[in-house]
Amino acid sequence: MRPGRLNLMTAGRGISHSEETPTVNSGVLQGVQLWVALPDAARARPPAFAHHADLPVFTAGGLRATVIMGELGDAVSPATTFSPLTSAEITAAAGAEGVVPLRADFEYAVLTLDGAAMIDGQELKPGPLLYVGEGRTSLRIAAGPATRVLLLGGEPFTESLVMWWNFVARTHDEVLEARAAWESGSLFGEVHGYEGPPLPAPPMPITRLVPRGRIR
């Protein structure tokens, strides 16, 4: 991976992978890993992987947005999605600002990666995720120092999920089955070229896992 690129792994019914830093490196590693829940109709599909080195760019005033997934303005990412969503890395020079278009049927959040941004007049520094809700058609972003933010959005996901360790399922029993399959090596495939054993799954909790929705 290099800055401005996207690795997209679709787990589907199950996938295994390794994440390794090259032997020759700068000693500095910065990136964002996002998990997107597949809707029920797509979650049993075959696993897949894609690398996108050339992502489209949308500009709005002093903002420059690299569209990672979905679309923003007239820029459309080539990445495959299975539900309506968008994500973009937005950069701005010190003092720059602009207004990005939003979809009223999406809900959105913003994460500052570097610098400090004013999001509709509210300062956002690196650390917290700012939820800006749904029903919006635009969002004003202004940079204090040179700033980089991540815009995330999508159609509200109404399905309930169970997420435990590296498994995303719908029920406690599905997680049990996935854990057993991981430990036996019967489902998730084998990573070739990685020098080391598979990471063992931790013991299951003593209580049953409870599905949770987007509203708690």
Side-chain angles (χ1 to χ4, degrees):
M1 279 294 290
R2 296 189 181 278
R5 299 183 178 186
L6 168 67
N7 276 350
L8 177 61
M9 183 172 66
T10 302
R13 62 174 177 258
I15 195 170
S16 58
H17 73 287
S18 67
E19 298 174 14
E20 303 176 58
T21 302
T23 303
V24 178
N25 63 83
S26 66
V28 177
L29 178 65
Q30 184 183 45
V32 176
Q33 185 180 90
L34 303 172
W35 288 43
V36 180
L38 291 174
D40 190 65
R43 68 189 184 103
R45 66 178 295 106
F49 180 86
H51 174 72
H52 298 283
D54 186 18
L55 297 172
V57 172
F58 171 77
T59 58
L63 307 179
R64 184 180 189 276
T66 300
V67 182
I68 301 167
M69 297 189 73
E71 59 186 73
L72 188 65
D74 58 1
V76 181
S77 168
T80 300
T81 62
F82 296 93
S83 60
L85 53 83
T86 187
S87 61
E89 179 192 59
I90 301 174
T91 58
E97 63 179 82
V99 177
V100 295
L102 303 182
R103 285 181 48 168
D105 58 331
F106 277 20
E107 58 181 346
Y108 290 90
V110 182
L111 178 70
T112 295
L113 304 175
D114 296 306
M118 296 295 289
I119 310 297
D120 275 359
Q122 179 175 341
E123 186 177 36
L124 182 64
K125 295 182 177 180
L129 180 74
L130 176 64
Y131 177 71
V132 295
E134 52 187 311
R136 291 172 170 263
T137 56
S138 65
L139 185 68
R140 177 172 293 277
I141 300 175
T147 296
R148 191 162 54 103
V149 303
L150 191 65
L151 175 69
L152 304 171
E155 189 176 85
F157 194 79
T158 58
E159 298 177 28
S160 294
L161 304 172
V162 174
M163 183 173 176
W164 178 84
W165 194 52
N166 293 327
F167 306 129
V168 181
R170 296 302 190 273
T171 67
H172 176 91
D173 291 337
E174 284 185 357
V175 173
L176 278 178
E177 293 172 3
R179 185 187 183 280
W182 174 262
E183 292 294 285
S184 68
S186 62
L187 174 64
F188 294 90
E190 181 181 351
V191 177
H192 299 281
Y194 173 70
E195 296 182 2
L199 185 68
M204 289 290 293
I206 60 174
T207 57
R208 288 186 66 83
L209 301 170
V210 178
R212 297 182 183 275
R214 56 185 292 270
I215 298 176
R216 298 186 181 182

